[in-house]
């Protein structure tokens, strides 16, 4: 006999049939008059994270929302991560009522706005956001480039599978990451090494549980769990390194500096080392060159 109950899967199942933890963000978009409007969302997540020439987020939303209509028109948005103060979440809930027009809700909005850092005409970003992702919708994916705003009562088929208008009332947007902006306190922590005290106070919400309340959870004390150290043998790293390139080679002391790289990422690391060596007319990578490569990676991370 099962220890679980079987719940019926219905519309908005992530809210009505599950306790599903989600982020709380505020997405800013550009209105036709050039002003910025805001809408809170939870159905956002990383989409392209590696192996392509750009990175991307995924947003799911109603296609009649101000956010969706503005993205269809301009292709631009910013994902603002807010803190977990009750007054902040209260403001998010105030902005979330379906059907409210920007001219009705924005005059009473308490969030302060400022210009972002990505190029072109962009929506403003939240001044008090902890971090912001400035994005561009990748229109051409799934042949969604002809999707246009204007149908506020639902779109007729055909629908796309994963980008643009995906159902009568739904839309999905694959959003290229143009800029990641972060308050200095938290960017310093990422660059210098994060401790439990450095994590920002980001809220987690569980969607609508009933017809009265929107529930969210404030951050409590962070707990660290040590990763298992699986140090590779020098012989196994040497085997991969000897096959990375027919000209560029590695000394043992250089390879000892990357013994802790997980096996799945080792080919990518070796490829980066070979590319650096070719650019610098180097045929033998020693510990000295490996340190230069590591320093270069650290500087590039700091710039981002």
């Amino acid at each position: 006999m099962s220890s679980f109950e079987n719940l019926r899967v219905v519309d908005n199942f992530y809210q009505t049939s599950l306790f599903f933890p989600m982020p709380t963000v505020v997405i800013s978009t550009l209105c036709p008059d050039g002003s910025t409007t805001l809408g809170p969302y939870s159905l956002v997540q990383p989409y392209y994270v590696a192996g392509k020439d750009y990175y991307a987020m995924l947003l799911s939303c109603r296609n009649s929302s101000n956010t969706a209509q503005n993205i269809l028109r301009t292709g631009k948005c910013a994902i603002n991560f807010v803190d977990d103060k009750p007054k902040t979440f209260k403001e998010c809930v105030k902005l979330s009522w379906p059907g409210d027009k920007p001219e009705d809700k924005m005059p009473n909005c308490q969030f302060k706005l400022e210009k972002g850092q990505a190029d072109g005409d962009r929506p403003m970003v939240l001044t008090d956001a902890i971090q912001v992702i400035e994005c561009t919708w990748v229109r051409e994916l799934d042949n969604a480039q002809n999707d246009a705003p204007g149908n506020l009562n639902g779109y007729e088929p055909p629908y796309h599978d994963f980008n643009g208008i995906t159902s009568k009332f739904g839309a999905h947007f694959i959003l290229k990451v143009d800029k990641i902006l972060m308050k200095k306190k938290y960017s310093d922590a990422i660059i210098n090494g994060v401790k439990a005290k450095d994590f920002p106070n980001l809220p987690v919400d569980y969607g609508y549980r009933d017809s009265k309340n929107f529930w969210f959870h404030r951050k409590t004390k962070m707990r660290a769990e040590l990763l298992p150290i699986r140090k590779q043998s020098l012989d196994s790293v040497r085997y991969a390194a000897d096959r990375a390139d027919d000209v560029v080679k590695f000394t043992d002391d250089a390879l000892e500096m990357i013994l802790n790289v997980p096996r799945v990422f080792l080919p990518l690391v070796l490829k980066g080392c070979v590319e650096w060596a070719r650019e610098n007319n180097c045929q033998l990578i020693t510990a000295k060159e490996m340190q230069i490569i590591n320093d270069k990676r650290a500087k590039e991370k700091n710039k981002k």
Side-chain angles (χ1 to χ4, degrees), residues 161-206:
D161 292 323
F162 60 88
N163 189 41
I165 304 300
T166 50
S167 68
K168 186 175 181 64
F169 302 111
H172 291 75
F173 296 105
I174 297 175
L175 303 169
K176 178 184 176 183
V177 175
D178 297 317
K179 293 280 186 180
I180 294 179
L181 314 179
M182 187 177 294
K183 287 295 195 289
K184 189 175 188 303
K185 172 184 177 181
Y186 302 109
S187 65
D188 285 348
I190 286 181
I191 292 169
N192 299 321
V194 177
K195 299 180 175 62
K197 65 179 179 61
D198 296 322
F199 281 83
N201 295 325
L202 298 174
V204 174
D205 75 69
Y206 287 84

Side-chain angles (χ1 to χ4, degrees), residues 116-161:
Q117 297 183 21
D119 296 332
D121 293 332
R122 299 270 180 165
M124 305 279 272
V125 303
L126 270 62
T127 298
D128 293 327
I130 289 170
Q131 58 190 8
V132 180
I133 308 177
E134 294 190 278
C135 301
T136 298
W137 177 36
V138 190
R139 294 176 179 270
E140 62 273 16
L141 289 178
D142 206 11
N143 292 316
Q145 62 272 8
N146 294 323
D147 288 359
N151 295 348
L152 301 183
N153 295 317
Y155 284 76
E156 297 302 319
Y159 302 119
H160 302 293
D161 292 323

Side-chain angles (χ1 to χ4, degrees), residues 269-283:
V269 170
L270 291 172
K271 179 181 177 182
C273 294
V274 169
E275 290 176 352
W276 178 91
R278 289 174 176 171
E279 292 171 357
N280 292 272
N281 297 317
C282 173
Q283 295 186 2

Side-chain angles (χ1 to χ4, degrees), residues 238-269:
R238 164 63 64 195
Y239 181 86
D242 287 345
R243 287 156 179 77
D245 190 75
D246 57 352
V247 175
V248 178
K249 300 301 176 183
F250 298 78
T251 62
D252 285 351
D253 57 354
L255 296 180
E256 286 174 353
M257 297 175 68
I258 57 174
L259 288 181
N260 287 334
V261 173
R263 186 73 181 182
V264 67
F265 298 128
L266 185 60
L268 185 63
V269 170

Side-chain angles (χ1 to χ4, degrees), residues 1 15 39 42 50 57 90 112 120 157 179 226 234 239 247 262 266 300:
M1 184 175 181
Q15 294 176 327
S42 290
M57 298 289 290
K90 187 179 185 69
K112 297 179 181 178
K179 293 280 186 180
L226 287 175
L234 181 59
Y239 181 86
V247 175
L266 185 60
E300 289 175 348

